[in-house]
Amino acid sequence: NAGVTQTPKFQVLKTGQSMTLQCAQDMNHEYMSWYRQDPGMGLRLIHYSVGAGITDQGEVPNGYNVSRSTTEDFPLRLLSAAPSQTSVYFCASTNIKGQYGYTFGSGTRLTVV
Amino acid sequence: AQTVTQSQPEMSVQEAETVTLSCTYDTSESNYYLFWYKQPPSRQMILVIRQEAYKQQNATENRFSVNFQKAAKSFSLKISDSQLGDTAMYFCAFMKHVFYFGTGTSLTVIP
């Protein structure tokens, strides 16, 4: 099983550019989330989804868009990158109750210059 | 929103010794799940141990065990016989509808 596949692993963007971080899981998990990790701040929730067609905002949604057209895929879009979005991004998935914890992707280190 | 607090930003332990990482959380829920995750320098997030709040028995996974005090809203992680490979960032997490993470504890195992 591939688990959670997150691409790319590294990315450098110029301020104002847009991009999409890809996330796919093959475990038939209903629940998928995007987090950003910054030093001293732990993991902060950006957006999450409890099923296809359903998304909701987390703690830090501004500047990010998501959609969930299939159970497997949950892409994160940066519409106009800003230096404040320099971070490590993680996608994670779990079943709807979450009792077994998340399976995480390998992360994307994004630098906005 | 629930909050998860890890009050020890950094800790160190001698190889083969025991160390305890602290975690407290704030919630009005009665049923929920708690987790400890390990993040080594590779950046990969690895589930260490999980606890279901309705179970009074503390979870154990090999050298890792928890001290779950529901009334005190405390969920500490004990690592016994520390090994060099335990050097990592450790995150405590709470789950009820949404996952909330603490800010992490950086653990260094000293040879």
Side-chain angles (χ1 to χ4, degrees), chain A residues 9-10 31 35 37 40 42-43 45 48 88 90 94 97-102 104-107 109, chain B residues 33 35 37 39 42-47 50 52 89 91 95-104:
Chain A
K9 291 193 183 326
F10 300 94
Y31 198 118
Y35 288 84
Q37 182 180 15
L43 282 82
L45 181 64
Y48 67 102
V88 176
F90 285 96
T94 186
K97 286 183 65 178
Q99 71 268 38
Y100 302 115
Y102 273 136
F104 280 89
S106 55
R109 180 174 292 280
Chain B
Y33 304 102
F35 307 89
Y37 280 87
Q39 186 181 40
S42 67
R43 198 172 72 195
Q44 185 65 45
M45 293 286 287
I46 302 165
L47 179 64
R50 56 185 285 270
E52 299 174 353
M89 196 77 170
F91 291 98
M95 198 288 178
K96 179 70 175 185
H97 307 305
V98 179
F99 277 84
Y100 297 93
F101 287 83
T103 51

mmCIF file of all heavy atoms in Angstrom, chain A residues 9-10 31 35 37 40 42-43 45 48 88 90 94 97-102 104-107 109, chain B residues 33 35 37 39 42-47 50 52 89 91 95-104:
data_model
loop_
_atom_site.group_PDB
_atom_site.id
_atom_site.type_symbol
_atom_site.label_atom_id
_atom_site.label_comp_id
_atom_site.label_asym_id
_atom_site.label_seq_id
_atom_site.Cartn_x
_atom_site.Cartn_y
_atom_site.Cartn_z
ATOM 1 N N LYS A 9 8.007 17.166 -2.919
ATOM 2 C CA LYS A 9 8.687 17.153 -1.625
ATOM 3 C C LYS A 9 9.312 18.508 -1.316
ATOM 4 O O LYS A 9 9.435 18.889 -0.152
ATOM 5 C CB LYS A 9 9.761 16.079 -1.592
ATOM 6 C CG LYS A 9 9.217 14.667 -1.610
ATOM 7 C CD LYS A 9 10.275 13.660 -1.276
ATOM 8 C CE LYS A 9 9.821 12.226 -1.339
ATOM 9 N NZ LYS A 9 8.452 11.964 -0.958
ATOM 10 N N PHE A 10 9.732 19.210 -2.333
ATOM 11 C CA PHE A 10 10.322 20.535 -2.167
ATOM 12 C C PHE A 10 9.798 21.449 -3.272
ATOM 13 O O PHE A 10 9.551 20.993 -4.379
ATOM 14 C CB PHE A 10 11.866 20.475 -2.259
ATOM 15 C CG PHE A 10 12.508 19.600 -1.235
ATOM 16 C CD1 PHE A 10 12.806 18.279 -1.515
ATOM 17 C CD2 PHE A 10 12.831 20.103 0.011
ATOM 18 C CE1 PHE A 10 13.395 17.464 -0.563
ATOM 19 C CE2 PHE A 10 13.426 19.303 0.978
ATOM 20 C CZ PHE A 10 13.704 17.972 0.683
ATOM 21 N N TYR A 31 -11.612 10.890 5.976
ATOM 22 C CA TYR A 31 -11.127 12.110 6.625
ATOM 23 C C TYR A 31 -9.745 12.441 6.095
ATOM 24 O O TYR A 31 -8.823 11.638 6.196
ATOM 25 C CB TYR A 31 -11.067 11.837 8.128
ATOM 26 C CG TYR A 31 -11.003 13.030 9.030
ATOM 27 C CD1 TYR A 31 -12.010 13.274 9.944
ATOM 28 C CD2 TYR A 31 -9.916 13.887 9.018
ATOM 29 C CE1 TYR A 31 -11.949 14.350 10.819
ATOM 30 C CE2 TYR A 31 -9.848 14.965 9.872
ATOM 31 C CZ TYR A 31 -10.862 15.193 10.779
ATOM 32 O OH TYR A 31 -10.807 16.259 11.632
ATOM 33 N N TYR A 35 -2.036 20.347 7.072
ATOM 34 C CA TYR A 35 -1.426 21.083 8.174
ATOM 35 C C TYR A 35 -0.195 21.808 7.655
ATOM 36 O O TYR A 35 0.451 21.376 6.709
ATOM 37 C CB TYR A 35 -0.976 20.140 9.286
ATOM 38 C CG TYR A 35 -2.095 19.529 10.091
ATOM 39 C CD1 TYR A 35 -2.748 18.384 9.653
ATOM 40 C CD2 TYR A 35 -2.497 20.088 11.298
ATOM 41 C CE1 TYR A 35 -3.786 17.829 10.383
ATOM 42 C CE2 TYR A 35 -3.526 19.532 12.046
ATOM 43 C CZ TYR A 35 -4.157 18.404 11.575
ATOM 44 O OH TYR A 35 -5.177 17.857 12.308
ATOM 45 N N GLN A 37 3.522 23.198 9.324
ATOM 46 C CA GLN A 37 4.379 23.069 10.496
ATOM 47 C C GLN A 37 5.423 24.164 10.464
ATOM 48 O O GLN A 37 6.217 24.258 9.523
ATOM 49 C CB GLN A 37 5.065 21.704 10.543
ATOM 50 C CG GLN A 37 5.932 21.523 11.785
ATOM 51 C CD GLN A 37 6.616 20.162 11.838
ATOM 52 O OE1 GLN A 37 6.687 19.433 10.853
ATOM 53 N NE2 GLN A 37 7.113 19.791 13.000
ATOM 54 N N GLY A 40 8.359 25.936 16.539
ATOM 55 C CA GLY A 40 7.775 26.425 17.784
ATOM 56 C C GLY A 40 6.263 26.513 17.790
ATOM 57 O O GLY A 40 5.679 26.899 18.807
ATOM 58 N N GLY A 42 4.155 23.920 16.308
ATOM 59 C CA GLY A 42 3.512 22.630 16.121
ATOM 60 C C GLY A 42 2.874 22.515 14.749
ATOM 61 O O GLY A 42 3.311 23.143 13.782
ATOM 62 N N LEU A 43 1.832 21.715 14.662
ATOM 63 C CA LEU A 43 1.096 21.544 13.417
ATOM 64 C C LEU A 43 -0.214 22.313 13.525
ATOM 65 O O LEU A 43 -0.997 22.094 14.455
ATOM 66 C CB LEU A 43 0.800 20.066 13.146
ATOM 67 C CG LEU A 43 1.963 19.243 12.602
ATOM 68 C CD1 LEU A 43 2.880 18.788 13.721
ATOM 69 C CD2 LEU A 43 1.445 18.041 11.829
ATOM 70 N N LEU A 45 -3.817 23.360 11.672
ATOM 71 C CA LEU A 45 -4.755 22.855 10.681
ATOM 72 C C LEU A 45 -5.149 23.956 9.705
ATOM 73 O O LEU A 45 -5.589 25.043 10.113
ATOM 74 C CB LEU A 45 -5.996 22.298 11.387
ATOM 75 C CG LEU A 45 -7.078 21.693 10.521
ATOM 76 C CD1 LEU A 45 -6.563 20.457 9.779
ATOM 77 C CD2 LEU A 45 -8.289 21.335 11.388
ATOM 78 N N TYR A 48 -9.761 20.807 6.271
ATOM 79 C CA TYR A 48 -9.982 19.381 6.371
ATOM 80 C C TYR A 48 -11.262 19.004 5.641
ATOM 81 O O TYR A 48 -12.063 19.863 5.266
ATOM 82 C CB TYR A 48 -10.014 18.913 7.826
ATOM 83 C CG TYR A 48 -11.178 19.414 8.646
ATOM 84 C CD1 TYR A 48 -12.273 18.591 8.913
ATOM 85 C CD2 TYR A 48 -11.164 20.694 9.200
ATOM 86 C CE1 TYR A 48 -13.325 19.040 9.683
ATOM 87 C CE2 TYR A 48 -12.217 21.146 9.962
ATOM 88 C CZ TYR A 48 -13.290 20.324 10.219
ATOM 89 O OH TYR A 48 -14.338 20.772 10.974
ATOM 90 N N VAL A 88 6.551 23.946 6.170
ATOM 91 C CA VAL A 88 6.466 22.543 5.778
ATOM 92 C C VAL A 88 4.996 22.145 5.851
ATOM 93 O O VAL A 88 4.345 22.373 6.871
ATOM 94 C CB VAL A 88 7.312 21.636 6.682
ATOM 95 C CG1 VAL A 88 7.122 20.174 6.292
ATOM 96 C CG2 VAL A 88 8.784 22.021 6.592
ATOM 97 N N PHE A 90 1.954 19.251 5.554
ATOM 98 C CA PHE A 90 1.647 17.828 5.662
ATOM 99 C C PHE A 90 0.190 17.581 5.302
ATOM 100 O O PHE A 90 -0.703 18.289 5.751
ATOM 101 C CB PHE A 90 1.889 17.320 7.080
ATOM 102 C CG PHE A 90 3.324 17.135 7.436
ATOM 103 C CD1 PHE A 90 4.016 18.119 8.118
ATOM 104 C CD2 PHE A 90 3.994 15.976 7.077
ATOM 105 C CE1 PHE A 90 5.345 17.963 8.453
ATOM 106 C CE2 PHE A 90 5.335 15.802 7.402
ATOM 107 C CZ PHE A 90 6.006 16.795 8.087
ATOM 108 N N THR A 94 -7.346 9.664 7.707
ATOM 109 C CA THR A 94 -7.760 8.664 8.688
ATOM 110 C C THR A 94 -9.193 8.261 8.389
ATOM 111 O O THR A 94 -9.856 8.865 7.539
ATOM 112 C CB THR A 94 -7.635 9.214 10.126
ATOM 113 O OG1 THR A 94 -7.925 8.164 11.060
ATOM 114 C CG2 THR A 94 -8.599 10.370 10.366
ATOM 115 N N LYS A 97 -13.862 8.208 12.210
ATOM 116 C CA LYS A 97 -13.812 8.418 13.658
ATOM 117 C C LYS A 97 -12.421 8.862 14.128
ATOM 118 O O LYS A 97 -12.287 9.437 15.189
ATOM 119 C CB LYS A 97 -14.216 7.136 14.397
ATOM 120 C CG LYS A 97 -15.703 6.842 14.354
ATOM 121 C CD LYS A 97 -16.033 5.595 15.156
ATOM 122 C CE LYS A 97 -15.756 5.776 16.632
ATOM 123 N NZ LYS A 97 -16.116 4.573 17.427
ATOM 124 N N GLY A 98 -11.415 8.532 13.355
ATOM 125 C CA GLY A 98 -10.061 8.932 13.704
ATOM 126 C C GLY A 98 -9.457 8.173 14.856
ATOM 127 O O GLY A 98 -8.413 8.574 15.384
ATOM 128 N N GLN A 99 -10.053 7.054 15.252
ATOM 129 C CA GLN A 99 -9.597 6.401 16.470
ATOM 130 C C GLN A 99 -8.230 5.752 16.310
ATOM 131 O O GLN A 99 -7.569 5.452 17.312
ATOM 132 C CB GLN A 99 -10.616 5.349 16.953
ATOM 133 C CG GLN A 99 -10.698 4.105 16.106
ATOM 134 C CD GLN A 99 -11.756 4.201 15.028
ATOM 135 O OE1 GLN A 99 -11.938 5.257 14.433
ATOM 136 N NE2 GLN A 99 -12.445 3.108 14.778
ATOM 137 N N TYR A 100 -7.778 5.514 15.115
ATOM 138 C CA TYR A 100 -6.473 4.888 14.894
ATOM 139 C C TYR A 100 -5.383 5.909 14.567
ATOM 140 O O TYR A 100 -4.247 5.555 14.301
ATOM 141 C CB TYR A 100 -6.564 3.832 13.798
ATOM 142 C CG TYR A 100 -7.570 2.754 14.127
ATOM 143 C CD1 TYR A 100 -8.716 2.585 13.355
ATOM 144 C CD2 TYR A 100 -7.387 1.933 15.232
ATOM 145 C CE1 TYR A 100 -9.651 1.627 13.679
ATOM 146 C CE2 TYR A 100 -8.316 0.969 15.566
ATOM 147 C CZ TYR A 100 -9.449 0.819 14.785
ATOM 148 O OH TYR A 100 -10.375 -0.133 15.110
ATOM 149 N N GLY A 101 -5.756 7.182 14.579
ATOM 150 C CA GLY A 101 -4.773 8.214 14.310
ATOM 151 C C GLY A 101 -4.597 8.459 12.823
ATOM 152 O O GLY A 101 -5.119 7.749 11.976
ATOM 153 N N TYR A 102 -3.853 9.497 12.548
ATOM 154 C CA TYR A 102 -3.580 9.868 11.167
ATOM 155 C C TYR A 102 -2.492 8.992 10.543
ATOM 156 O O TYR A 102 -1.558 8.560 11.225
ATOM 157 C CB TYR A 102 -3.012 11.295 11.112
ATOM 158 C CG TYR A 102 -3.993 12.422 11.035
ATOM 159 C CD1 TYR A 102 -3.792 13.544 11.824
ATOM 160 C CD2 TYR A 102 -5.055 12.427 10.162
ATOM 161 C CE1 TYR A 102 -4.642 14.634 11.762
ATOM 162 C CE2 TYR A 102 -5.922 13.508 10.087
ATOM 163 C CZ TYR A 102 -5.702 14.610 10.887
ATOM 164 O OH TYR A 102 -6.546 15.693 10.810
ATOM 165 N N PHE A 104 0.237 10.033 7.793
ATOM 166 C CA PHE A 104 0.749 11.276 7.220
ATOM 167 C C PHE A 104 1.477 11.027 5.903
ATOM 168 O O PHE A 104 2.100 9.971 5.703
ATOM 169 C CB PHE A 104 1.744 11.930 8.177
ATOM 170 C CG PHE A 104 1.117 12.697 9.294
ATOM 171 C CD1 PHE A 104 0.785 12.076 10.491
ATOM 172 C CD2 PHE A 104 0.867 14.053 9.168
ATOM 173 C CE1 PHE A 104 0.212 12.782 11.522
ATOM 174 C CE2 PHE A 104 0.296 14.773 10.208
ATOM 175 C CZ PHE A 104 -0.040 14.135 11.386
ATOM 176 N N GLY A 105 1.420 12.040 5.021
ATOM 177 C CA GLY A 105 2.319 12.072 3.880
ATOM 178 C C GLY A 105 3.711 12.465 4.344
ATOM 179 O O GLY A 105 3.939 12.759 5.524
ATOM 180 N N SER A 106 4.644 12.492 3.410
ATOM 181 C CA SER A 106 6.046 12.739 3.766
ATOM 182 C C SER A 106 6.380 14.223 3.866
ATOM 183 O O SER A 106 7.501 14.576 4.219
ATOM 184 C CB SER A 106 6.969 12.074 2.739
ATOM 185 O OG SER A 106 6.650 12.523 1.435
ATOM 186 N N GLY A 107 5.422 15.088 3.563
ATOM 187 C CA GLY A 107 5.636 16.522 3.746
ATOM 188 C C GLY A 107 6.177 17.218 2.509
ATOM 189 O O GLY A 107 6.838 16.606 1.666
ATOM 190 N N ARG A 109 8.319 20.795 1.700
ATOM 191 C CA ARG A 109 8.973 22.016 2.199
ATOM 192 C C ARG A 109 8.812 23.083 1.142
ATOM 193 O O ARG A 109 9.362 22.963 0.039
ATOM 194 C CB ARG A 109 10.448 21.780 2.501
ATOM 195 C CG ARG A 109 11.154 23.046 3.016
ATOM 196 C CD ARG A 109 12.568 22.782 3.450
ATOM 197 N NE ARG A 109 12.634 21.960 4.631
ATOM 198 C CZ ARG A 109 12.456 22.383 5.875
ATOM 199 N NH1 ARG A 109 12.198 23.663 6.101
ATOM 200 N NH2 ARG A 109 12.561 21.555 6.896
ATOM 201 N N TYR B 33 -9.947 10.729 21.637
ATOM 202 C CA TYR B 33 -8.748 9.910 21.454
ATOM 203 C C TYR B 33 -7.516 10.792 21.637
ATOM 204 O O TYR B 33 -7.520 11.979 21.296
ATOM 205 C CB TYR B 33 -8.739 9.285 20.056
ATOM 206 C CG TYR B 33 -9.981 8.482 19.765
ATOM 207 C CD1 TYR B 33 -11.003 9.009 18.975
ATOM 208 C CD2 TYR B 33 -10.141 7.200 20.291
ATOM 209 C CE1 TYR B 33 -12.158 8.285 18.718
ATOM 210 C CE2 TYR B 33 -11.292 6.474 20.029
ATOM 211 C CZ TYR B 33 -12.299 7.019 19.240
ATOM 212 O OH TYR B 33 -13.436 6.304 18.994
ATOM 213 N N PHE B 35 -3.103 10.813 21.204
ATOM 214 C CA PHE B 35 -2.012 10.182 20.477
ATOM 215 C C PHE B 35 -0.685 10.859 20.807
ATOM 216 O O PHE B 35 -0.638 12.039 21.147
ATOM 217 C CB PHE B 35 -2.229 10.313 18.957
ATOM 218 C CG PHE B 35 -3.565 9.833 18.464
ATOM 219 C CD1 PHE B 35 -4.645 10.708 18.411
ATOM 220 C CD2 PHE B 35 -3.737 8.521 18.065
ATOM 221 C CE1 PHE B 35 -5.880 10.275 17.963
ATOM 222 C CE2 PHE B 35 -4.976 8.079 17.612
ATOM 223 C CZ PHE B 35 -6.053 8.949 17.553
ATOM 224 N N TYR B 37 2.898 11.313 18.602
ATOM 225 C CA TYR B 37 3.581 11.127 17.332
ATOM 226 C C TYR B 37 5.051 11.486 17.501
ATOM 227 O O TYR B 37 5.405 12.386 18.256
ATOM 228 C CB TYR B 37 2.986 12.021 16.238
ATOM 229 C CG TYR B 37 1.721 11.486 15.641
ATOM 230 C CD1 TYR B 37 0.491 11.767 16.220
ATOM 231 C CD2 TYR B 37 1.752 10.681 14.507
ATOM 232 C CE1 TYR B 37 -0.680 11.268 15.667
ATOM 233 C CE2 TYR B 37 0.587 10.177 13.948
ATOM 234 C CZ TYR B 37 -0.627 10.476 14.540
ATOM 235 O OH TYR B 37 -1.783 9.972 13.996
ATOM 236 N N GLN B 39 8.525 12.614 15.334
ATOM 237 C CA GLN B 39 9.017 13.147 14.067
ATOM 238 C C GLN B 39 10.544 13.202 14.114
ATOM 239 O O GLN B 39 11.132 14.132 14.634
ATOM 240 C CB GLN B 39 8.448 14.542 13.782
ATOM 241 C CG GLN B 39 8.841 15.062 12.404
ATOM 242 C CD GLN B 39 8.303 16.450 12.120
ATOM 243 O OE1 GLN B 39 8.299 17.316 12.987
ATOM 244 N NE2 GLN B 39 7.814 16.668 10.899
ATOM 245 N N SER B 42 14.145 12.933 9.645
ATOM 246 C CA SER B 42 13.638 12.634 8.290
ATOM 247 C C SER B 42 12.346 13.375 7.976
ATOM 248 O O SER B 42 11.924 13.423 6.814
ATOM 249 C CB SER B 42 13.390 11.134 8.141
ATOM 250 O OG SER B 42 12.326 10.726 8.989
ATOM 251 N N ARG B 43 11.701 13.932 8.990
ATOM 252 C CA ARG B 43 10.474 14.729 8.856
ATOM 253 C C ARG B 43 9.202 13.858 8.858
ATOM 254 O O ARG B 43 8.100 14.379 8.994
ATOM 255 C CB ARG B 43 10.531 15.580 7.573
ATOM 256 C CG ARG B 43 9.562 16.734 7.521
ATOM 257 C CD ARG B 43 9.851 17.605 6.317
ATOM 258 N NE ARG B 43 9.483 16.992 5.059
ATOM 259 C CZ ARG B 43 9.896 17.436 3.868
ATOM 260 N NH1 ARG B 43 10.728 18.453 3.788
ATOM 261 N NH2 ARG B 43 9.515 16.822 2.748
ATOM 262 N N GLN B 44 9.344 12.560 8.679
ATOM 263 C CA GLN B 44 8.166 11.700 8.637
ATOM 264 C C GLN B 44 7.478 11.662 9.998
ATOM 265 O O GLN B 44 8.135 11.559 11.030
ATOM 266 C CB GLN B 44 8.559 10.275 8.234
ATOM 267 C CG GLN B 44 7.390 9.338 8.059
ATOM 268 C CD GLN B 44 6.486 9.728 6.911
ATOM 269 O OE1 GLN B 44 6.954 10.048 5.821
ATOM 270 N NE2 GLN B 44 5.185 9.706 7.134
ATOM 271 N N MET B 45 6.168 11.749 10.024
ATOM 272 C CA MET B 45 5.386 11.675 11.250
ATOM 273 C C MET B 45 5.006 10.219 11.498
ATOM 274 O O MET B 45 4.366 9.578 10.652
ATOM 275 C CB MET B 45 4.124 12.524 11.125
ATOM 276 C CG MET B 45 4.398 14.013 11.024
ATOM 277 S SD MET B 45 4.903 14.726 12.585
ATOM 278 C CE MET B 45 3.348 14.727 13.473
ATOM 279 N N ILE B 46 5.372 9.717 12.678
ATOM 280 C CA ILE B 46 5.177 8.303 12.997
ATOM 281 C C ILE B 46 4.332 8.186 14.258
ATOM 282 O O ILE B 46 4.651 8.786 15.284
ATOM 283 C CB ILE B 46 6.544 7.616 13.242
ATOM 284 C CG1 ILE B 46 7.442 7.772 12.009
ATOM 285 C CG2 ILE B 46 6.362 6.140 13.594
ATOM 286 C CD1 ILE B 46 8.901 7.465 12.266
ATOM 287 N N LEU B 47 3.259 7.414 14.185
ATOM 288 C CA LEU B 47 2.418 7.195 15.357
ATOM 289 C C LEU B 47 3.160 6.315 16.356
ATOM 290 O O LEU B 47 3.620 5.229 16.021
ATOM 291 C CB LEU B 47 1.105 6.541 14.946
ATOM 292 C CG LEU B 47 0.133 6.223 16.076
ATOM 293 C CD1 LEU B 47 -0.343 7.499 16.766
ATOM 294 C CD2 LEU B 47 -1.055 5.424 15.551
ATOM 295 N N ARG B 50 -1.439 5.271 21.113
ATOM 296 C CA ARG B 50 -2.761 5.871 21.125
ATOM 297 C C ARG B 50 -3.507 5.432 22.370
ATOM 298 O O ARG B 50 -3.257 4.360 22.921
ATOM 299 C CB ARG B 50 -3.553 5.474 19.883
ATOM 300 C CG ARG B 50 -3.688 3.986 19.689
ATOM 301 C CD ARG B 50 -4.377 3.637 18.388
ATOM 302 N NE ARG B 50 -5.808 3.886 18.468
ATOM 303 C CZ ARG B 50 -6.709 2.984 18.867
ATOM 304 N NH1 ARG B 50 -6.327 1.783 19.229
ATOM 305 N NH2 ARG B 50 -7.987 3.287 18.894
ATOM 306 N N GLU B 52 -7.616 5.571 24.071
ATOM 307 C CA GLU B 52 -9.029 5.915 23.971
ATOM 308 C C GLU B 52 -9.498 6.393 25.341
ATOM 309 O O GLU B 52 -9.266 5.715 26.348
ATOM 310 C CB GLU B 52 -9.822 4.698 23.494
ATOM 311 C CG GLU B 52 -9.359 4.225 22.123
ATOM 312 C CD GLU B 52 -10.025 2.936 21.674
ATOM 313 O OE1 GLU B 52 -10.754 2.339 22.471
ATOM 314 O OE2 GLU B 52 -9.793 2.551 20.518
ATOM 315 N N MET B 89 11.445 14.919 17.471
ATOM 316 C CA MET B 89 10.415 15.802 17.995
ATOM 317 C C MET B 89 9.209 14.926 18.309
ATOM 318 O O MET B 89 8.866 14.028 17.521
ATOM 319 C CB MET B 89 10.047 16.835 16.911
ATOM 320 C CG MET B 89 9.297 18.023 17.416
ATOM 321 S SD MET B 89 10.394 19.155 18.252
ATOM 322 C CE MET B 89 9.308 20.535 18.459
ATOM 323 N N PHE B 91 5.122 14.929 19.349
ATOM 324 C CA PHE B 91 3.894 15.722 19.376
ATOM 325 C C PHE B 91 2.772 14.938 20.038
ATOM 326 O O PHE B 91 2.529 13.771 19.721
ATOM 327 C CB PHE B 91 3.446 16.088 17.956
ATOM 328 C CG PHE B 91 4.351 17.057 17.267
ATOM 329 C CD1 PHE B 91 5.317 16.609 16.376
ATOM 330 C CD2 PHE B 91 4.236 18.415 17.492
ATOM 331 C CE1 PHE B 91 6.155 17.492 15.736
ATOM 332 C CE2 PHE B 91 5.074 19.314 16.851
ATOM 333 C CZ PHE B 91 6.033 18.847 15.970
ATOM 334 N N MET B 95 -8.003 14.121 19.577
ATOM 335 C CA MET B 95 -8.945 13.971 18.461
ATOM 336 C C MET B 95 -10.372 13.795 18.951
ATOM 337 O O MET B 95 -10.659 12.836 19.682
ATOM 338 C CB MET B 95 -8.570 12.794 17.572
ATOM 339 C CG MET B 95 -9.203 12.812 16.185
ATOM 340 S SD MET B 95 -10.960 12.472 16.115
ATOM 341 C CE MET B 95 -11.275 12.662 14.345
ATOM 342 N N LYS B 96 -11.214 14.747 18.565
ATOM 343 C CA LYS B 96 -12.665 14.626 18.674
ATOM 344 C C LYS B 96 -13.223 15.454 17.532
ATOM 345 O O LYS B 96 -13.257 16.675 17.603
ATOM 346 C CB LYS B 96 -13.161 15.150 20.018
ATOM 347 C CG LYS B 96 -14.675 15.069 20.187
ATOM 348 C CD LYS B 96 -15.176 13.651 20.319
ATOM 349 C CE LYS B 96 -16.672 13.627 20.596
ATOM 350 N NZ LYS B 96 -17.179 12.259 20.856
ATOM 351 N N HIS B 97 -13.601 14.784 16.466
ATOM 352 C CA HIS B 97 -14.047 15.414 15.214
ATOM 353 C C HIS B 97 -12.890 16.056 14.457
ATOM 354 O O HIS B 97 -12.824 15.961 13.225
ATOM 355 C CB HIS B 97 -15.136 16.471 15.440
ATOM 356 C CG HIS B 97 -16.312 15.967 16.217
ATOM 357 N ND1 HIS B 97 -17.031 14.856 15.849
ATOM 358 C CD2 HIS B 97 -16.871 16.405 17.364
ATOM 359 C CE1 HIS B 97 -17.983 14.641 16.723
ATOM 360 N NE2 HIS B 97 -17.909 15.560 17.656
ATOM 361 N N VAL B 98 -11.998 16.731 15.145
ATOM 362 C CA VAL B 98 -10.840 17.383 14.530
ATOM 363 C C VAL B 98 -9.609 17.041 15.364
ATOM 364 O O VAL B 98 -9.698 16.907 16.574
ATOM 365 C CB VAL B 98 -11.011 18.923 14.478
ATOM 366 C CG1 VAL B 98 -9.780 19.593 13.859
ATOM 367 C CG2 VAL B 98 -12.260 19.298 13.697
ATOM 368 N N PHE B 99 -8.464 16.893 14.704
ATOM 369 C CA PHE B 99 -7.209 16.648 15.413
ATOM 370 C C PHE B 99 -6.583 17.977 15.826
ATOM 371 O O PHE B 99 -6.468 18.895 15.008
ATOM 372 C CB PHE B 99 -6.209 15.931 14.504
ATOM 373 C CG PHE B 99 -6.397 14.450 14.430
ATOM 374 C CD1 PHE B 99 -7.320 13.897 13.564
ATOM 375 C CD2 PHE B 99 -5.626 13.591 15.204
ATOM 376 C CE1 PHE B 99 -7.481 12.512 13.481
ATOM 377 C CE2 PHE B 99 -5.775 12.214 15.124
ATOM 378 C CZ PHE B 99 -6.711 11.672 14.261
ATOM 379 N N TYR B 100 -6.128 18.046 17.079
ATOM 380 C CA TYR B 100 -5.378 19.201 17.557
ATOM 381 C C TYR B 100 -4.034 18.713 18.072
ATOM 382 O O TYR B 100 -3.966 17.718 18.786
ATOM 383 C CB TYR B 100 -6.134 19.923 18.680
ATOM 384 C CG TYR B 100 -7.454 20.496 18.241
ATOM 385 C CD1 TYR B 100 -8.625 19.764 18.391
ATOM 386 C CD2 TYR B 100 -7.539 21.754 17.669
ATOM 387 C CE1 TYR B 100 -9.846 20.274 17.985
ATOM 388 C CE2 TYR B 100 -8.763 22.273 17.258
ATOM 389 C CZ TYR B 100 -9.908 21.516 17.417
ATOM 390 O OH TYR B 100 -11.109 22.029 17.002
ATOM 391 N N PHE B 101 -2.986 19.454 17.715
ATOM 392 C CA PHE B 101 -1.637 19.069 18.098
ATOM 393 C C PHE B 101 -1.033 20.076 19.068
ATOM 394 O O PHE B 101 -1.320 21.281 19.002
ATOM 395 C CB PHE B 101 -0.733 18.982 16.871
ATOM 396 C CG PHE B 101 -1.000 17.785 16.000
ATOM 397 C CD1 PHE B 101 -2.009 17.810 15.057
ATOM 398 C CD2 PHE B 101 -0.242 16.630 16.141
ATOM 399 C CE1 PHE B 101 -2.267 16.694 14.257
ATOM 400 C CE2 PHE B 101 -0.492 15.518 15.351
ATOM 401 C CZ PHE B 101 -1.508 15.551 14.416
ATOM 402 N N GLY B 102 -0.159 19.579 19.940
ATOM 403 C CA GLY B 102 0.658 20.452 20.759
ATOM 404 C C GLY B 102 1.805 21.014 19.941
ATOM 405 O O GLY B 102 1.986 20.668 18.770
ATOM 406 N N THR B 103 2.619 21.852 20.580
ATOM 407 C CA THR B 103 3.716 22.513 19.881
ATOM 408 C C THR B 103 4.986 21.656 19.836
ATOM 409 O O THR B 103 5.951 22.027 19.186
ATOM 410 C CB THR B 103 4.048 23.852 20.532
ATOM 411 O OG1 THR B 103 4.230 23.652 21.935
ATOM 412 C CG2 THR B 103 2.917 24.858 20.317
ATOM 413 N N GLY B 104 4.969 20.520 20.502
ATOM 414 C CA GLY B 104 6.069 19.580 20.381
ATOM 415 C C GLY B 104 7.121 19.694 21.459
ATOM 416 O O GLY B 104 7.316 20.765 22.058
#
